Amino acid sequence: MLRLTLTREAQVRLGITTVRAGTSSASVTRATSGEIVVPAGAGGVPTNSMSNLQQLGIQQVAADGEAARTRAQLRLARIAFDRAAALVREEAGSLRARDEAAAALAAAKAAADAARAQRRLLGPSIRSLADQSTLWVRVPVFGSDVGAVERGRAAMIRPLGDTGAARAARPVQAPPSANAVAGTVDLYFALDNRDRAYRVGQRVGVTLPIASGTNDGLSLPTSAIVRDIYGGEWVYAKTAPGAFIRQRIEVASTQGDRAILSRGLTPGAEVVTAGAAELFGTEFGVAH
């Protein structure tokens, strides 16, 4: 492994800064992926990228028409009942006609309620799918791992490949869904999307809270970590004034801009934060 020795001027030019690794602890988490979906309506199935939107749109139009028809019938039934009741009060109508009108009104109300419920099951209209202030995240989790997830805590969501700030998503109850072939069970989380940052069908990175205590170990900024083409994790440790060596590490968990290591460094080790990528390029002959 190449040992890098830099003059003071070279360190200034590369913007090298260092910190000492200290002990810390963080909640145990598990990184996985998920998909942005439209929330289920009144027990319906969430709309995702695999939904047949054309078929769903046809079903929604039919359900909207049925709901409108039953509302019209309900209005007519209410008018008929009011007329029959008024005639009875004026002693100009029969009790039987009023009772029949009351039964017709009850049947019309039940039909209207059923039509509304059926429409809610189909979720928001196709036209509004991209305009939801709250979206859900569907997270497939292996059946053997579901019990380890702390279901009462929020998951952290970020776009795939984005190292910026994550967004919290609260757990929600949803219709049971699973993939028998993959052996996964779906968990759902509600995500605030008032800024329209996420779209239906988008794949996202998900950090799930695990109910198994905390990770204890050395802590350092995530900016100190560089990764090779195989996903290996490394830091540049300062071994002497102006001398740096690349050292292999293993990250147990990350929380915000801090990483907890499971192995690879000793307490008090001084590692490069700003300038780590530049040192990586220098070692492998990549110009910066």
Side-chain angles (χ1 to χ4, degrees), residues 198-287:
Y198 293 88
R199 299 180 63 85
V200 178
Q202 180 179 351
R203 301 293 299 183
V204 293
V206 181
T207 302
L208 295 173
I210 302 300
S212 59
T214 59
N215 275 327
D216 299 315
L218 293 181
S219 171
L220 50 80
T222 54
S223 59
I225 301 171
V226 293
R227 292 176 174 84
D228 58 30
I229 60 174
Y230 304 106
E233 297 165 322
W234 307 81
V235 295
Y236 280 93
K238 185 176 182 180
T239 57
F244 305 90
I245 188 169
R246 182 162 52 93
Q247 192 164 340
R248 185 67 178 264
I249 61 168
E250 275 189 14
V251 176
S253 65
T254 59
Q255 201 162 50
D257 60 352
R258 305 290 297 184
I260 305 295
L261 307 185
S262 58
R263 69 179 181 90
L265 288 177
T266 57
E270 191 172 359
V271 297
V272 175
T273 53
E278 285 73 12
L279 289 179
F280 194 70
T282 300
E283 181 178 350
F284 290 96
V286 180

Side-chain angles (χ1 to χ4, degrees), residues 27-50:
S27 300
V28 178
T29 59
R30 182 165 299 165
T32 183
S33 63
E35 179 190 6
I36 300 295
V37 300
V38 176
V45 177
T47 305
N48 56 37
S49 61
M50 299 301 293

Side-chain angles (χ1 to χ4, degrees), residues 109-135:
K109 184 178 184 305
D113 290 342
R116 285 195 297 269
Q118 289 174 349
R119 176 59 187 86
R120 286 197 299 269
L121 288 174
L122 296 174
S125 66
I126 297 299
R127 290 179 299 176
S128 67
L129 289 185
D131 194 35
Q132 301 294 312
S133 60
T134 299
L135 293 173

